[in-house]
Amino acid sequence: MKHMKYRIRITYTLELTQPTRTLTLTTAIPQTTWRQRALLKEPKEAKLKCMGSNRILELTARSIPEGVHEFKLELEVEARASRAKVGGVSYEELKAEGRYLASSPLVEADSPEIAEAAKKAASEAKSPFEAAQAAASWVYENLEYDIAYAPTSESALTVLKARRGTCDEFAHLTIALCRALGIPARYVLGYLEAKGELGPHAWVEVYMGKWKWIPVDPTPETPPTLGCLSGSHIKLATAEDHSKVPRASAITAPSKALSNISSKVE
């Protein structure tokens, strides 16, 4: 399997309008999983903690003067292309992850329209694996990629009606169809390397019992295959949907002191 190595540098630039005694940066950072290894290189004084399956970095600075400041993170990530093998699994086994079967703010899994679309998409499926594959394939075949949706993150029902969107929309609808079929599914936030540059991306993981969480990306130019993911995918965090993901970054400081914040990934 092909391995990809990345050195990721994230720079947070913020402006303080007055001196601040304490300032804390909190951000999700790439996970270490069965297909990915992530090592934080800088800053060494940062604290790492777990929030569910997510890794959260916390960095505190003290006695910060007024003006523009930068916080820099550097990570080494090695990701490999995956091809997960999944054997037999029953719908009963999937109930262990019931949290990811219910509706969430951007995934209306209990909507009649979603249920009808899911039933049609997986009409010939004979197992949870085939049903999840059918859901991802249906989204890939019936949605049009539209970059105009990039600034937003629309709900699954909105996407079902519009039939267009970017990776967030493709992921939300895939998740909704899977949940409506009784298959736990969750949203994955990460990065995707394309033409030598890293950019934000979203895909899906479905729960397959003893085989755990299996990835699928319904967005790429080639048809999605459940269990297969390229080494260009770097996993950052997971949640019920986009709205529930730990924020990519957050700054805790007196509200009157913080006037602007931006981030850059290289």
Side-chain angles (χ1 to χ4, degrees), residues 3 20 32 34 43 54-55 82 86-87 90 97 101 106 136 157 168 171-172 183 187 193 218-220 222 255:
H3 287 64
T20 302
T32 291
W34 61 276
N54 300 319
R55 295 174 76 204
S82 64
V86 179
S90 69
E97 288 289 348
L101 283 170
L106 294 175
L157 188 55
D168 267 6
H172 284 153
I183 302 166
Y187 175 96
E193 187 273 329
T219 310
T222 55
S255 58

Side-chain angles (χ1 to χ4, degrees), residues 107-118:
V107 176
E108 304 95 335
D110 56 358
S111 160
E113 294 97 323
I114 293 290
E116 182 180 357

Side-chain angles (χ1 to χ4, degrees), residues 231-243:
S232 299
H233 290 72
I234 299 176
K235 183 177 178 179
L236 182 62
T238 61
E240 292 92 333
D241 61 44
H242 176 86
S243 72

